[in-house]
Amino acid sequence: MTTLDETQRRILAAALDLFLAQGLKKTTVDEVAAQAGLTRITVYRYFADKGELVRAAFLDIPARLETLRTGLLAASSANIETSLSRLLTVIGTLPKGEFPHRLEELNRLYPAIAAEFHDRRVTAISAIFDHLFALAESQGRLRTDLNRDVIRAYFMVAVVNVLEYPALNTTNLTAADIFATVQAIFLHGILKE
């Protein structure tokens, strides 16, 4: 994974904000440049065409998860709450927008990018789950009556698909708000003891 300079970061943030807010097809490179406070020429110095910009903007999401995974693996003394909070922080950095509709549009207009986005996101979240599960297991925090495969399926659906659930896009909840509830359910269940 490459480290982005400040100009690239600004371009990608502006592009992702606009793509999620108004759509991939409607967003122009000129609009991305204006929102980033740059010229169109500067954007083209970093990204050869709109397709490359779309790819970089959307793949920045799994790149954030991959960076988190690397950080979690390096932090051997972390506890499950701290690790989940770090995941919450990363998810909280995602811009609000019409995520389900934009992923459909991405799949329709750029199917190879959509497939790469999906594969990298699922791979990163799966690795994060494996780390969290092993961490909870080493800390003696796991209930013995739960099946690991069911827990994995719940976690994957919750983390991968919760932002794609259309009904949640009609609320004023941020990605961080949504995942905070997912985190509470993961840690404590939904029923009082």
Side-chain angles (χ1 to χ4, degrees):
M1 179 179 6
T2 61
T3 304
L4 302 176
D5 69 26
E6 181 58 32
T7 303
Q8 288 171 303
R9 176 75 37 219
R10 285 174 44 202
I11 293 168
L12 293 180
L16 193 57
D17 283 345
L18 288 168
F19 291 149
L20 291 178
Q22 63 190 31
L24 285 81
K25 194 170 188 174
K26 291 181 182 178
T27 300
T28 67
V29 173
D30 288 336
E31 290 171 314
V32 171
Q35 180 145 330
L38 302 166
T39 66
R40 180 176 196 223
I41 301 291
T42 302
V43 173
Y44 279 119
R45 281 189 191 128
Y46 286 91
F47 304 99
D49 57 30
K50 185 176 175 181
E52 191 177 304
L53 179 59
V54 168
R55 181 179 183 276
F58 275 89
L59 293 184
D60 187 51
I61 294 171
R64 294 176 201 189
L65 294 167
E66 292 161 355
T67 299
L68 171 65
R69 179 196 68 212
T70 302
L72 290 175
L73 293 175
S76 59
S77 63
N79 64 33
I80 192 77
E81 286 84 4
T82 302
S83 297
L84 281 169
S85 290
R86 288 179 66 191
L87 178 57
L88 174 63
T89 300
V90 169
I91 289 175
T93 66
L94 301 178
K96 189 156 175 59
E98 293 289 328
F99 207 65
H101 295 90
R102 298 313 168 230
L103 289 182
E104 289 174 15
E105 186 180 19
L106 181 67
N107 193 48
R108 193 174 60 255
L109 298 175
Y110 303 95
I113 297 170
E116 184 178 3
F117 169 83
H118 175 76
D119 291 346
R120 283 184 56 189
R121 183 173 59 148
V122 168
T123 299
I125 293 171
S126 182
I128 291 168
F129 170 81
D130 290 340
H131 171 76
L132 293 173
F133 193 89
L135 186 61
E137 195 170 47
S138 72
Q139 296 173 357
R141 303 277 308 271
L142 291 177
R143 289 176 35 186
T144 58
D145 61 331
L146 298 178
N147 181 290
R148 178 188 170 112
D149 293 332
V150 174
I151 297 169
R152 173 186 283 282
Y154 164 74
F155 186 82
M156 294 302 290
V157 167
V159 178
V160 173
N161 296 339
V162 73
L163 296 177
E164 297 174 29
Y165 187 67
L168 289 176
N169 275 307
T170 62
T171 68
N172 288 327
L173 296 172
T174 65
D177 294 333
I178 293 167
F179 189 73
T181 300
V182 170
Q183 177 181 348
I185 293 168
F186 190 75
L187 286 172
H188 310 292
I190 60 170
L191 301 177
K192 291 181 180 181
E193 291 190 21

